[in-house]
Amino acid sequence: MTVRHFTPEGMLQPAPYHHVALGTGATHIHVSGQVARRADGTPVAPGDLAGQVAQALRNTSVGLAGAGASFADVLRLTFYVTRWSPEKIGDFMAGVESVADEIGLRLPMPPASLIGVEYLFEPDVLVEVEATALLD
């Protein structure tokens, strides 16, 4: 499996993610939206965006591992954040950076989108993470 992340000259830099992922392989992996919950459903980091980002990424890592993949195989990440405003970027990135080494998420991240939403499935859920990966 080969995934190469890069940002071509002429694209916005610096950014906390690469703009392009080039993947070759035959097995596509899609990890559904992961939130800040333990396996038993217990909420993690209520009201804390950084803490919820970190836990949602940990859960994404578990999903990837279950399919025999890791963040090295990820082509794209999508983040949904409730009531997003640009002032939240510091807390958001603090959550990413706090867990990156633990879960093997290289920085800058693979191509990523952060989408602001009004509400997720429960009022205490501040962030949801989806991942797409590719294996040989």
Side-chain angles (χ1 to χ4, degrees):
M1 166 33 220
T2 302
V3 174
R4 186 168 65 101
H5 300 118
F6 60 99
T7 297
E9 191 171 322
M11 296 187 86
L12 176 67
Q13 292 187 34
Y17 55 87
H18 289 286
H19 288 276
V20 179
L22 175 67
T24 59
T27 303
H28 290 250
I29 299 163
H30 300 270
V31 179
S32 69
Q34 297 300 300
V35 298
R37 295 272 199 275
R38 292 191 177 90
D40 67 1
T42 304
V44 175
D48 174 13
L49 179 59
Q52 288 201 18
V53 167
Q55 184 63 40
L57 284 167
R58 283 184 189 103
N59 293 345
T60 302
S61 179
V62 171
L64 290 166
S70 71
F71 275 101
D73 304 307
V74 169
L75 289 169
R76 178 169 187 69
L77 292 169
T78 304
F79 297 87
Y80 299 92
V81 181
T82 60
R83 295 174 292 286
W84 176 256
S85 65
E87 299 81 36
K88 294 182 178 184
I89 193 67
D91 289 339
F92 175 84
M93 287 307 300
V96 171
E97 292 165 358
S98 74
V99 75
D101 287 341
E102 173 190 331
I103 62 174
L105 176 60
R106 290 179 294 207
L107 300 177
M109 291 184 284
S113 293
L114 189 157
I115 301 167
V117 297
E118 182 61 29
Y119 188 83
L120 289 163
F121 74 101
E122 290 188 12
D124 66 315
V125 175
L126 303 178
V127 66
E128 182 177 290
V129 181
E130 295 177 354
T132 301
L134 189 63
L135 290 176
D136 279 335

